[in-house]
Amino acid sequence: MPSTVKNATLLFLGRTIVRAQALLGDPAARLLGENPTSDPYPVYESVRRQGVLVKTKMGLYLTASHELSSKLLRDPGFGPLSAGALSPVDSSLQPDGRRLVNPVEESFLVLNPPDHTRLRRLVAPWFTPRGLRAQAATVERVVDEYLDEVADRGTFDLVGDFAARVPIQVIADLLGVPGADHATFARWGSALVNALDGVRDLRGLKALQEALREFEAFLDDLIAHRRRHPGGDDIVSALVAHDDLTREDLIATTELLLVAGFETTVNLIGNSVLEVLGHPEVRERLLADPGYADAVVEETLRHDPPVQYTVRVPFETTEVAGTRLPKGTPIMLMLAAANRDPAVFADPHRFDPGRADVREHLAFSSGIHYCLGAGLARMEGAAALRGLFRRFPDLKAAGRVHRRPSRVIRGAARLPVTTGAKKHHPIVETIS
């Protein structure tokens, strides 16, 4: 299969170049080439020490500056860089000859106006304050249901048994997917999110392609059902009602909502729980005041956000931080580093839910690409924390934290916990 050989060769060459540049000290190569489960924050600080805008040999610029990142996110002269992670996906992979839809490059996540505006506006009503109020009771119910299931186990995986299932059920309800198989949705979502890092090997490429094939087949059936039975109050029904949307629009938008509505939130919940487990004073305050969960979630978004970075490119040749950049020059905005910028946040490496300026973080981006589901993610994260520690006030880690193999998305893949057993293990990250 010529295309398979070509893809394997390109993946090998890409990894080799990144590793070589990392050995030479290139900061971009270190970020992209280091073990994706390792702690990225020391690398971020090394970039910060080099200046506001750091040129790399990898062909892109880096910034850890909150001021510059915020400015570029809001500047209409800049837009997202098409990820390119799914570029090996082509029409030959579909039995019927149709190409697989790229859920990153064809969604409003990276599109610019007017396409971005057109597609985002169609799904925005479900994520307004009014729409979120309508979801509040559902979120609380889903949290309680899954906590009921693990209550008698003593030990369970916080991610697989709880944190992943809550957002999957919520977004499935919004999409109008009855009886959603959370395990299948989780597998699809993980494959798509891991691809944001760039496919690292042929096995990863095949897993991504298989997930896309399965997901598209599922959505084709769902869309066809909605066309035969119109009038539902879910997102897919609303999208199908717009005759001007192509199949590609429908598929890409729905896949994006799954990824954005599931993967970022599951990692937010996991990261928030890790922060509470690691800070006894935060746990005590949370137990005394369940409403404190909102502040804990907000500080987690600043201190250890699910989305670590994004990329912007200028539409025309321009000057940034005193440097002239040609049109299309990629700039990696290190959001997690910007969230710990000492020029904005006092004692930035300290976890402090009480800090007054916590909402100045860039965890949800900014400008026209500000995360559409930010309010829902906050709601789910806070509800999960309140429910979890109300039910299990003595919750403890019961083993190692296994970090997900991703650089763009930071979170736990597995987090064994016990509801209060006498023996427990310290929180230790897996570096492998």
Side-chain angles (χ1 to χ4, degrees):
M1 297 177 63
S3 62
T4 301
V5 174
K6 177 182 177 182
N7 288 329
T9 302
L10 291 175
L11 291 170
F12 172 78
L13 289 175
R15 290 198 309 271
T16 301
I17 292 171
V18 169
R19 288 171 180 169
Q21 291 297 334
L23 290 174
L24 294 174
D26 184 270
R30 287 186 62 194
L31 284 175
L32 299 175
E34 285 195 346
N35 188 322
T37 64
S38 62
D39 181 0
Y41 291 97
V43 181
Y44 296 158
E45 291 308 309
S46 71
V47 172
R48 193 190 315 282
R49 289 191 293 269
Q50 295 181 53
V52 173
L53 187 66
V54 178
K55 183 179 181 180
T56 77
K57 296 179 180 178
M58 295 292 293
L60 73 157
Y61 286 76
L62 308 178
T63 183
S65 164
H66 183 284
E67 180 181 6
L68 181 58
S69 295
S70 180
K71 177 183 177 182
L72 296 183
L73 288 170
R74 293 179 168 89
D75 192 330
F78 288 77
L81 173 68
S82 187
L86 311 182
S87 56
V89 175
D90 58 40
S91 60
S92 65
L93 300 172
Q94 286 282 58
D96 60 4
R98 291 185 302 185
R99 66 179 180 81
L100 290 170
V101 176
N102 190 313
V104 175
E105 298 181 4
E106 297 182 60
S107 71
F108 60 81
L109 178 68
V110 300
L111 293 176
N112 295 303
D115 289 329
H116 169 271
T117 308
R118 174 178 60 90
L119 293 174
R120 182 177 172 120
R121 183 182 293 137
L122 295 178
V123 297
W126 280 267
F127 302 96
T128 62
R130 179 179 179 181
L132 293 178
R133 285 193 295 272
Q135 290 296 316
T138 298
V139 172
E140 296 287 349
R141 172 182 57 78
V142 170
V143 166
D144 287 339
E145 285 180 359
Y146 290 132
L147 287 176
D148 286 343
E149 289 190 18
V150 300
D152 296 329
R153 298 187 192 178
T155 300
F156 62 96
D157 175 17
L158 181 93
V159 178
D161 294 328
F162 176 65
R165 300 179 73 186
V166 170
I168 286 176
Q169 187 59 58
V170 172
I171 196 63
D173 287 347
L174 284 172
L175 294 174
V177 180
D181 182 342
H182 80 274
T184 300
F185 268 50
R187 181 168 58 83
W188 290 341
S190 295
L192 298 181
V193 167
N194 289 340
L196 293 175
D197 277 306
V199 179
R200 290 187 289 274
D201 53 39
L202 200 56
R203 184 175 62 178
L205 174 61
K206 289 181 179 179
L208 168 62
Q209 293 167 346
E210 181 61 26
L212 283 173
R213 281 196 295 268
E214 292 179 5
F215 197 10
E216 286 197 20
F218 172 84
L219 292 178
D220 278 330
D221 289 342
L222 180 63
I223 290 168
H225 179 78
R226 291 294 185 273
R227 292 195 191 282
R228 293 193 302 269
H229 304 280
D233 59 358
D234 57 274
I235 294 177
V236 174
S237 292
L239 291 174
V240 169
H242 288 268
D243 295 332
D244 61 330
L245 292 183
T246 65
R247 172 184 177 272
E248 288 71 24
D249 287 336
L250 291 169
I251 295 292
T253 301
T254 306
E255 288 181 341
L256 171 65
L257 291 176
L258 170 68
V259 174
F262 157 53
E263 278 291 342
T264 53
T265 306
V266 63
N267 293 299
L268 172 59
I269 294 173
N271 291 353
S272 297
V273 171
L274 283 170
E275 296 285 14
V276 175
L277 295 180
H279 297 85
E281 73 285 359
V282 173
R283 182 204 293 260
E284 291 179 11
R285 174 75 181 274
L286 179 61
L287 293 178
D289 176 15
Y292 192 54
D294 295 297
V296 174
V297 166
E298 207 65 47
E299 175 67 345
T300 301
L301 287 166
R302 183 201 69 82
H303 188 256
D304 197 16
V307 179
Q308 293 281 293
Y309 62 82
T310 188
V311 178
R312 290 294 184 268
V313 298
F315 296 139
E316 302 294 341
T317 296
T318 188
E319 185 174 296
V320 176
T323 301
R324 188 170 178 79
L325 301 181
K327 172 183 176 180
T329 302
I331 306 174
M332 181 186 289
L333 310 182
M334 299 159 55
L335 304 179
N339 288 348
R340 295 193 183 190
D341 191 337
V344 177
F345 302 101
D347 197 3
H349 299 292
R350 179 169 59 92
F351 185 79
D352 178 14
R355 63 175 72 241
D357 56 359
V358 64
R359 280 207 173 226
E360 295 300 314
H361 67 74
L362 300 175
F364 290 125
S365 189
S366 189
I368 65 170
H369 288 281
Y370 183 80
C371 178
L372 181 65
L376 182 60
R378 286 182 167 112
M379 177 192 294
E380 292 177 280
L385 277 187
R386 285 194 303 271
L388 187 67
F389 285 95
R390 179 179 64 243
R391 189 76 65 93
F392 311 125
D394 297 319
L395 190 78
K396 296 178 177 65
R400 294 179 180 273
V401 179
H402 296 263
R403 289 284 182 179
R404 63 167 50 258
S406 173
R407 301 171 186 86
V408 180
I409 303 294
R410 179 167 164 82
R414 295 191 305 280
L415 174 53
V417 294
T418 177
T419 58
K422 291 182 180 180
K423 293 183 179 180
H424 64 279
H425 303 279
I427 302 173
V428 180
E429 290 192 12
T430 304
I431 308 300
S432 62

